Amino acid sequence: MAVYKDGDKWRVIYRYTNYKGERKQTQKRGFATKRKYYVIGENHKVFIANKNEDDDYYILTLAAIAKELAFRNISTADVLLAVGLPLNWLSNQRQGFKDYLMRNSEVDFKFCNESYHIRICDVAVYPQGYAGIVASMPLYKGVHMLADIGNGTMNTLVITNGRAMSDRMYTDKLGVHQCVKRIYNAVQAECGKLPDESLIEDFLRNGTTDTSNRILSVMQTEAEKYTVEIFDKLSEYEYDPEMVKLHIIGGGGCLIRNFGTYDTDSVEIISDICATAKGYESLYMTQSENCLKGSFALWKSRTA
């Protein structure tokens, strides 16, 4: 028996032997396709400036929710999502991204052969990177700069005496994947090899990897060039290591640590990969508490 995809339906062709001993073939059309399956983690997500242009972030969000529920040994939950967008895109994309994640108020799905039922009750959208340091900002004296180096972009924010400067925030397409592509192209051009991206990522993450010295040398050169470009871009935004304290967050922090040249007294690399997610949660809880306090104060004024 053979099964084929026929548009949005299935077509089944099967062979049999009739009562005369003759071999026959027939087919059945029209079995509707009811389910979709996704494989996560095999390749990089291609950079797009608007996250709601395709279903990828929605599917990745469902997978993340499933992992959180599995960790707590539950399969059904009401979910409050606290998520982020790059600094300069927040004002224009906040509502669209919220609507994108809330398009289905209730969702039934399977992840790793386990069934889940969730109800998405609210979505709050916050600035990426900023959320990871917001708890420490009251302690910042003088001029500080935040560089959130992600896979696709680097988001930069200037902070003065604990206050974020809304007119001094920048988004550049200078994320880690740019460095990965440059290393790939350089190894291909200079060594005639096509390195797997997982090899490059392991090198960037750990400062070395299991390959020849010739290829390691090319990788090292390109990674160092990338970190120089990062600091050059920050200098355009008036970063001066003698006067400005720099805080680096995001996956790109390991590149700066492994391949960058910098003053450790003036640069903090935040290595907690969950720092921004923890910040989202903290911001959401603070916002919710303030809303409750405001509602209670309004109720008191009306009943006084």
Side-chain angles (χ1 to χ4, degrees):
M1 181 175 70
V3 181
Y4 301 93
K5 190 72 181 298
D6 187 6
D8 62 347
K9 298 184 183 299
W10 294 103
R11 178 162 60 98
V12 178
I13 298 175
Y14 56 95
R15 296 173 179 85
Y16 65 96
T17 303
N18 65 13
Y19 71 98
K20 295 180 180 180
E22 300 170 334
R23 293 288 291 169
K24 298 290 184 179
Q25 175 178 303
T26 188
Q27 63 181 348
K28 177 71 174 179
R29 296 176 181 268
F31 293 103
T33 304
K34 294 183 178 179
R35 298 178 181 176
K36 289 184 178 180
Y37 296 89
Y38 298 89
V39 178
I40 295 173
E42 289 192 345
N43 297 293
H44 266 293
K45 165 66 180 164
V46 177
F47 173 80
I48 56 174
N50 195 327
K51 292 183 177 182
N52 60 13
E53 287 183 6
D54 58 31
D55 287 334
D56 288 1
Y57 284 98
Y58 186 79
I59 299 302
L60 289 169
T61 300
L62 293 182
I65 292 170
K67 294 187 73 170
E68 290 290 331
L69 297 184
F71 178 76
R72 293 164 175 78
N73 294 316
I74 57 177
S75 59
T76 302
D78 288 346
V79 177
L80 308 173
L81 289 175
V83 299
L85 286 171
L87 292 169
N88 270 348
W89 302 347
L90 186 65
S91 59
N92 291 332
Q93 296 185 17
R94 184 199 298 265
Q95 188 58 49
F97 194 42
K98 179 176 180 177
D99 294 341
Y100 167 81
L101 291 173
M102 292 193 72
R103 57 184 173 178
N104 300 309
S105 58
E106 295 194 37
V107 187
D108 292 284
F109 65 100
K110 292 185 72 173
F111 180 74
C112 294
N113 293 320
E114 296 293 332
S115 297
Y116 296 94
H117 173 81
I118 61 170
R119 184 172 62 172
I120 300 177
C121 302
D122 190 20
V123 174
V125 186
Y126 300 106
Q128 288 177 191
Y130 167 84
I133 64 165
V134 65
S136 303
M137 280 176 53
L139 303 177
Y140 290 176
K141 305 301 179 185
V143 182
H144 292 244
M145 183 176 283
L146 169 69
D148 176 15
I149 309 173
N151 183 55
T153 60
M154 178 176 75
N155 294 280
T156 308
L157 174 67
V158 176
I159 303 155
T160 303
N161 290 324
R163 181 184 176 188
M165 300 288 98
S166 60
D167 60 341
R168 297 185 66 188
M169 55 185 185
Y170 316 93
T171 296
D172 297 286
K173 192 177 177 182
L174 199 58
V176 174
H177 195 53
Q178 301 299 312
C179 182
V180 172
K181 290 194 296 184
R182 294 176 191 180
I183 291 175
Y184 181 90
N185 292 334
V187 171
Q188 182 182 19
E190 298 184 33
C191 304
K193 306 293 183 181
L194 300 175
D196 192 87
E197 283 196 2
S198 62
L199 184 77
I200 301 174
E201 290 166 1
D202 184 60
F203 170 75
L204 296 178
R205 189 179 300 113
N206 300 304
T208 188
T209 192
D210 187 14
T211 190
S212 70
N213 289 334
R214 181 170 69 118
I215 292 176
L216 280 176
S217 177
V218 175
M219 288 181 166
Q220 181 83 22
T221 299
E222 290 304 315
E224 290 175 355
K225 287 180 183 177
Y226 171 79
T227 61
V228 169
E229 187 173 348
I230 289 289
F231 281 104
D232 285 346
K233 179 60 67 174
L234 295 176
S235 295
E236 291 180 21
Y237 304 140
E238 301 181 14
Y239 169 64
D240 183 332
E242 291 189 272
M243 297 188 295
V244 179
K245 175 78 173 183
L246 177 63
H247 309 270
I248 299 175
I249 196 169
C254 61
L255 275 77
I256 304 300
R257 184 178 61 247
N258 293 330
F259 308 107
T261 301
Y262 59 94
D263 181 359
T264 55
D265 290 332
S266 64
V267 177
E268 177 195 19
I269 299 177
I270 301 171
S271 58
D272 183 1
I273 62 173
C274 298
T276 296
K278 292 174 181 176
Y280 293 155
E281 182 178 17
S282 176
L283 287 169
Y284 186 88
M285 296 302 293
T286 300
Q287 182 180 337
S288 299
E289 289 171 4
N290 290 337
C291 287
L292 287 173
K293 290 177 182 177
S295 298
F296 181 68
L298 180 61
W299 177 80
K300 283 186 67 177
S301 67
R302 289 177 175 176
T303 56

